[in-house]
Amino acid sequence: MKHSSPASSVVSRSGRFASGPAADVAAFSESICFDWRLWRQDIRGSLAHAAMLQRIGVLTRKELEAIRKGFQSIEADIEAGRFQWNPALEDVHMNLESELTRRTPAGAKLHTGRSRNDQVALDIRLWLRDECAAVDRDLADLQKSLVEFGQRHPEVILPGYTHLQRGQPVYLAHHALAYVEMLSRDRERFSEASARANVCPLGSGALAGSTLPLDREFVAQELGFVDAKGRPRITQNSMDAVSDRDFLVEFCSAAALSAIHLSRLAEDLILWATSEFNFIRIADAYTTGSSLMPQKKNPDVAELTRGKTGRVVGNLMSLLTLLKGLPMTYNRDLQEDKERVFDTADTVRSCLRLMAGMIRNTSAKPEVCARASADPQLLATDLADHLVLQGVPFRQAHHLVGAVVALAETAGKPLDAITTEEFRSISTAFGDDIGRVFELRRAMAKRTSTGAPGTAGVRRQLAAWSRRLK
Ligand code: ARG
């Protein structure tokens, strides 16, 4: 069969319409400029659908073979960059089907019992599954880079902050591991989003299924939409299946939280790289200079990561707003979901990769960190704990240590220069060994409860995470 124009062979308008869409309508409504990237998923879905059509007798073996061959050659062309995407064919589904039909007449049977509505729902679920797996790998790699960062600086202690005011000392590794924990919850969220999306919508048709005896379980199995026991998982309501995009909202929501976590990590690194903090050195390759101020070294990767969080959160809002108030079932509005989720995945993945690279090229400045963490005020709470061990109620201990801090301030000397006599003038509960409270290493070793930044605990956590991330 010869086709003069591929557009005329399969476009949905053929038959019913006397003319094609006006040029500006076509330009307004085409999605091929962004949904072409679903081509692998679209072909995968079509192959499973075709195999099913052969099983139920709609396609002969020869036709199925011709379809497989056709897609193989199309795939080769796309991979080689030879494939011409045609905006007149609107989207990836019609481009591929039309080209297949141009290569084999059996292509004209492929769309049996199928609509682009369940087709696009399928493609985007397949895409989301792949993307969640990829994001998971990127998240794990960032976790790894943070664990390595901690392992490269096992002895470095920093002030821990609340309200951005010095609070209590922590190991740098403990600070890094805080992000490892956040990222592990992010990984759980992506994995749950993927699991919930892992249900096959194909067979739902435009909105109301099909009169043909489609074997939906077979298709689901072919495409890996199965539960833990290998049983097929298929959507149970055709209307829901073609109009539901909550799995995309979950994906964007997991991504938004990841981006928020990344922005906090970015902010810590930006602060630490300032002359004021000066705790770290970021390698030149991950910074930029100023076109005017010759001395500048700016942490642009971290800043852009922080900035890009805005679009990831914005994409989530766009998607939610897009879905709000849509009548059942499929509406063309839904085409607007793709750019939001593609951008979300691309943005978060590039931030994850760049941040991991930057952390691998960042080192702490041990002397600066040592000077900052030597601030005896960081151990004011340890002083109160010392009194508690002497039987002083904590509220009172807090008050007494407050008086010691005030005394030090008036005397214009650091807390660890207060004499035993001065301590005793405030409370006799301060023991003779009070000066030892300011021994930082000893203080760190004392933090033994689970989750605390104690010497042994942090080592254990580093080892455990490093094993887990192997
Ligand atoms: N490009 C469309 C989308 O992304 C595919 C489904 C089109 N369906 C339709 N009935 N026009 O949503």
Side-chain angles (χ1 to χ4, degrees):
M1 211 176 5
K2 200 107 183 75
H3 298 279
S4 47
S5 133
S8 65
S9 60
V10 293
V11 281
S12 56
R13 299 174 76 96
S14 59
R16 166 76 171 80
F17 293 87
S19 76
D24 53 355
V25 172
F28 184 66
S29 54
E30 63 89 13
S31 56
I32 192 64
C33 67
F34 52 85
D35 69 10
W36 64 270
R37 69 187 270 179
L38 292 173
W39 68 268
R40 278 184 200 282
Q41 289 80 10
D42 201 69
I43 291 180
R44 225 183 132 198
S46 285
L47 287 173
H49 184 66
M52 183 274 288
L53 291 178
Q54 188 271 318
R55 274 168 70 94
I56 65 168
V58 172
L59 291 177
T60 64
R61 280 194 179 284
K62 276 184 101 163
E63 285 169 329
L64 174 60
E65 214 27 60
I67 287 175
R68 284 187 177 144
K69 285 238 167 66
F71 274 132
Q72 252 166 34
S73 63
I74 289 175
E75 203 171 308
D77 285 351
I78 298 174
E79 267 168 356
R82 282 192 300 262
F83 195 85
Q84 286 289 321
W85 298 106
N86 180 2
L89 289 169
E90 229 177 81
D91 55 26
V92 64
H93 323 295
M94 297 218 285
N95 266 267
L96 291 175
E97 187 189 339
S98 166
E99 184 57 25
L100 178 74
T101 309
R102 209 181 59 77
R103 296 183 189 201
T104 167
K109 291 191 174 180
L110 179 64
H111 212 49
T112 309
R114 186 176 76 167
S115 154
R116 278 185 296 157
N117 297 353
D118 57 351
Q119 190 177 355
V120 71
L122 170 70
D123 291 4
I124 200 81
R125 280 175 193 253
L126 287 171
W127 174 87
L128 180 132
R129 243 172 34 182
D130 293 346
E131 212 59 32
C132 283
V135 176
D136 185 71
R137 286 192 294 276
D138 293 337
L139 280 165
D141 190 55
L142 178 59
Q143 284 183 305
K144 239 187 198 168
S145 74
L146 286 161
V147 171
E148 290 159 7
F149 184 58
Q151 285 172 328
R152 281 204 304 280
H153 306 94
E155 303 295 337
V156 173
I157 301 172
L158 287 178
Y161 296 79
T162 62
H163 311 264
L164 212 51
Q165 304 290 319
R166 284 185 179 170
Q168 293 177 288
V170 294
Y171 279 101
L172 172 66
H174 192 62
H175 196 128
L177 287 174
Y179 285 103
V180 174
E181 295 282 342
M182 292 179 223
L183 297 172
S184 93
R185 293 192 295 277
D186 290 342
R187 291 178 66 185
E188 277 172 33
R189 271 182 283 270
F190 279 107
S191 139
E192 284 157 18
S194 178
R196 228 177 333 272
N198 193 29
V199 186
C200 188
L202 207 67
S204 302
L207 79 157
S210 170
T211 59
L212 301 166
L214 306 176
D215 186 346
R216 295 194 59 205
E217 282 80 1
F218 172 82
V219 175
Q221 212 116 35
E222 283 281 294
L223 296 171
F225 289 103
V226 291
D227 65 15
K229 293 194 173 128
R231 290 174 305 210
R233 296 183 75 203
I234 57 177
T235 53
Q236 298 295 310
N237 183 298
S238 61
M239 297 176 80
D240 175 42
V242 296
S243 61
D244 154 42
R245 295 290 183 272
D246 19 331
F247 55 94
L248 292 181
V249 172
E250 289 189 45
F251 176 79
C252 286
S253 157
L257 259 175
S258 275
I260 298 275
H261 289 156
L262 285 175
S263 79
R264 298 188 65 184
L265 173 58
E267 172 64 11
D268 276 349
L269 296 171
I270 292 165
L271 274 179
W272 288 356
T274 59
S275 308
E276 284 70 17
F277 277 83
N278 199 26
F279 290 166
I280 55 168
R281 178 177 292 109
I282 302 174
D284 290 357
Y286 284 84
T287 60
T288 64
S290 155
S291 57
L292 192 148
M293 300 166 282
Q295 87 286 10
K296 287 299 286 292
K297 183 172 158 182
N298 298 324
D300 293 34
V301 169
E303 291 171 275
L304 282 167
T305 297
R306 189 178 56 185
K308 283 175 192 289
T309 303
R311 40 202 279 186
V312 179
V313 172
N315 286 340
L316 171 62
M317 290 308 130
S318 292
L319 197 56
L320 286 166
T321 312
L322 172 68
L323 298 177
K324 180 192 172 296
L326 277 188
M328 288 290 256
T329 52
Y330 178 85
N331 300 273
R332 193 62 182 273
D333 312 45
L334 292 177
Q335 180 168 294
E336 290 284 310
D337 61 359
K338 275 160 229 66
E339 285 165 293
R340 303 283 62 83
V341 295
F342 292 162
D343 183 66
T344 295
D346 296 345
T347 305
V348 168
R349 289 191 59 196
S350 65
C351 290
L352 286 168
R353 285 196 295 261
L354 268 290
M355 288 292 275
M358 183 173 63
I359 285 162
R360 291 199 165 99
N361 286 279
T362 295
S363 49
K365 298 182 175 173
E367 337 73 50
V368 182
C369 299
R371 234 175 294 133
S373 59
D375 177 356
Q377 295 225 12
L378 292 168
L379 295 169
T381 312
D382 292 47
L383 275 180
D385 289 347
H386 166 90
L387 291 178
V388 166
L389 291 177
Q390 312 299 311
V392 181
F394 181 76
R395 289 290 175 207
Q396 202 181 325
H398 185 280
H399 180 81
L400 290 171
V401 174
V404 175
V405 171
L407 187 150
E409 244 169 50
T410 328
K413 56 185 182 182
L415 214 48
D416 55 352
I418 301 288
T419 63
T420 311
E421 291 65 46
E422 285 170 317
F423 270 116
R424 286 285 172 81
S425 72
I426 287 168
S427 167
T428 51
F430 285 112
D432 290 336
D433 58 343
I434 188 65
R436 297 205 68 193
V437 170
F438 296 107
E439 290 170 21
L440 186 57
R441 299 283 156 187
R442 180 171 173 266
M444 296 315 283
K446 276 182 144 181
R447 288 146 161 79
T448 53
S449 63
T450 302
T455 312
V458 172
R459 294 247 161 90
R460 258 198 313 276
Q461 286 287 322
L462 275 177
W465 274 113
S466 141
R467 260 197 316 278
R468 236 177 286 171
L469 293 166
K470 271 240 158 64

